[in-house]
Amino acid sequence: MNYVYYIDDKNWHGASLYYEYPNVFLYVLVCHYLGVRRGFDSDLVLKPLIAQGTVTLESYGISYTVEGEKLTVQNISRRPLNIDLPNLNKRIVLRPRQTREV
């Protein structure tokens, strides 16, 4: 993306920080900060880094709320979800539109 930032004939390519690439920034935001990613032997792995707040990711079919030590997970999709919670060493199964506090 240097062609956007540097128009003074600097002759090198690529972003100086890889976070400048939109797809990498989005991956880091969703998978590391929000802590939602696809699992190998489950539908989702949920390991959020946020300390407080509500996150809704419709494309993953999940919504969750973190309040201190309390985590509430809701399946907003139309199919059951197997969700791994590595921080709690748990796996939960949520039916469509089901909410569970863990």
Side-chain angles (χ1 to χ4, degrees):
M1 291 180 51
N2 288 327
Y3 62 91
V4 174
Y5 300 115
Y6 305 108
I7 56 173
D8 59 354
D9 294 329
K10 288 190 177 187
N11 191 17
W12 58 286
H13 302 285
S16 56
L17 298 173
Y18 74 92
Y19 287 111
E20 292 180 8
Y21 291 112
N23 57 342
V24 175
F25 175 78
L26 185 59
Y27 174 82
V28 171
L29 174 68
V30 172
C31 294
H32 294 284
Y33 182 67
L34 299 178
V36 178
R37 62 181 171 83
R38 303 285 181 197
F40 291 111
D41 59 347
S42 64
D43 295 313
L44 296 174
V45 176
L46 181 59
K47 189 177 179 183
L49 290 180
I50 63 171
Q52 184 172 331
T54 299
V55 174
T56 301
L57 295 168
E58 290 181 15
S59 61
Y60 288 87
I62 191 171
S63 177
Y64 69 86
T65 302
V66 177
E67 295 175 5
E69 297 294 318
K70 187 172 91 171
L71 175 66
T72 305
V73 184
Q74 181 182 16
N75 179 355
I76 59 174
S77 72
R78 294 182 180 155
R79 62 180 186 86
L81 289 177
N82 292 316
I83 302 170
D84 280 334
L85 303 164
N87 289 348
L88 303 172
N89 292 324
K90 285 186 178 183
R91 175 179 280 182
I92 59 173
V93 178
L94 295 176
R95 294 184 316 271
R97 308 295 179 198
Q98 182 183 8
T99 302
R100 182 176 299 168
E101 184 178 317
V102 290

